[in-house]
Amino acid sequence: MLLPLLILAQTSTPTEDLLMVLRPQLELQMTRECEKAVNSPDGSFLNLRSICSEISQPASVCLVEEISQQGSLAQVAREALEGSLGPASLGVASACIERLMQSAKPVWDQEFPLR
């Protein structure tokens, strides 16, 4: 999936348009990875599998927007092909974690008020 990204990144296709086409695949992969991470063989882990798809949607949108804003498509794709998290990937991930945490803050504050 990433090799076509590198090739298309060199074309005149706007980055965000290209990424929006690939976003459903990214979202599906993120859901699979989340489900693997929360899967417990003994079943004692909280059943978080159901929220994986809910989390992957805003996360994939954020990744598309951040990669587009930062202009880092080629760098992120190269790092992914190399199997490493480099500066571009970490920058995008950090920005998305911060954005997602800020958007969750009102719900978090309501569920866990400071006393």
Side-chain angles (χ1 to χ4, degrees), residues 80-97:
L81 285 172
E82 293 170 354
S84 66
L85 286 175
S89 301
L90 291 173
V92 168
S94 295
C96 284
I97 290 169

Side-chain angles (χ1 to χ4, degrees), residues 14-61:
T15 301
E16 192 163 359
D17 292 345
L18 169 65
L19 290 171
M20 288 306 284
V21 169
L22 297 172
R23 193 178 65 76
Q25 293 173 358
L26 174 63
E27 197 172 312
L28 182 60
Q29 182 63 31
M30 290 173 72
T31 299
R32 281 191 218 127
E33 293 300 320
C34 173
E35 288 173 347
K36 282 194 308 190
V38 300
N39 195 17
S40 175
D42 65 2
S44 63
F45 196 86
L46 292 174
N47 186 10
L48 298 175
R49 293 185 72 190
S50 62
I51 66 166
C52 287
S53 61
E54 292 175 39
I55 293 169
S56 67
Q57 194 273 333
S60 66
V61 169

Side-chain angles (χ1 to χ4, degrees), residues 2-23:
L2 293 173
L3 187 56
L5 275 177
L6 273 178
I7 294 167
L8 289 171
Q10 305 304 318
T11 68
S12 62
T13 305
T15 301
E16 192 163 359
D17 292 345
L18 169 65
L19 290 171
M20 288 306 284
V21 169
L22 297 172
R23 193 178 65 76

Side-chain angles (χ1 to χ4, degrees), residues 48-113:
L48 298 175
R49 293 185 72 190
S50 62
I51 66 166
C52 287
S53 61
E54 292 175 39
I55 293 169
S56 67
Q57 194 273 333
S60 66
V61 169
C62 182
L63 291 172
V64 166
E65 291 172 353
E66 283 299 324
I67 289 170
S68 182
Q69 281 180 352
Q70 294 181 21
S72 58
L73 175 61
Q75 298 92 335
V76 169
R78 183 177 59 250
E79 291 169 4
L81 285 172
E82 293 170 354
S84 66
L85 286 175
S89 301
L90 291 173
V92 168
S94 295
C96 284
I97 290 169
E98 183 177 346
R99 275 177 56 181
L100 293 170
M101 293 299 289
Q102 287 299 318
S103 67
K105 189 176 181 334
V107 174
W108 183 267
D109 289 345
Q110 183 177 351
E111 291 292 322
F112 305 101

